[in-house]
Amino acid sequence: LSVALSGTVLSRCPACARNFANLHCNNICSPDQSLFTNVTRIVNRTTAQGTPQLAVIEYQCFYGQDFAD
């Protein structure tokens, strides 16, 4: 998912675009992901270099009310 693409889609509402980007970045980059993320679906895949690895394709996030507000 590209944050820039979502920004284009949400450009009519700058606050919505900022909130979406903040949520996306928190989901992807937070060092505390294990505190609010539950992985619910993974698949086996092979990298371009031929290395097998697991890939997360579905997860649930749980946020506190303060973060949601």
Side-chain angles (χ1 to χ4, degrees):
L1 175 66
S2 168
V3 175
L5 178 60
S6 64
T8 301
V9 172
L10 297 170
S11 65
R12 292 172 48 146
C13 178
C16 293
R18 280 191 306 273
N19 287 339
F20 181 83
N22 181 43
L23 185 61
H24 177 72
C25 291
N26 194 58
N27 285 346
I28 303 304
C29 303
S30 174
D32 299 320
Q33 284 177 337
S34 65
L35 301 177
F36 60 85
T37 303
N38 179 38
V39 174
T40 57
R41 190 170 172 203
I42 58 173
V43 295
N44 290 310
R45 67 177 295 267
T46 303
T47 67
Q49 293 78 24
T51 306
Q53 65 179 199
L54 295 175
V56 173
I57 59 170
E58 185 176 287
Y59 62 93
Q60 297 171 316
C61 286
F62 303 95
Y63 298 113
Q65 190 63 46
D66 288 341
F67 182 82
D69 289 343

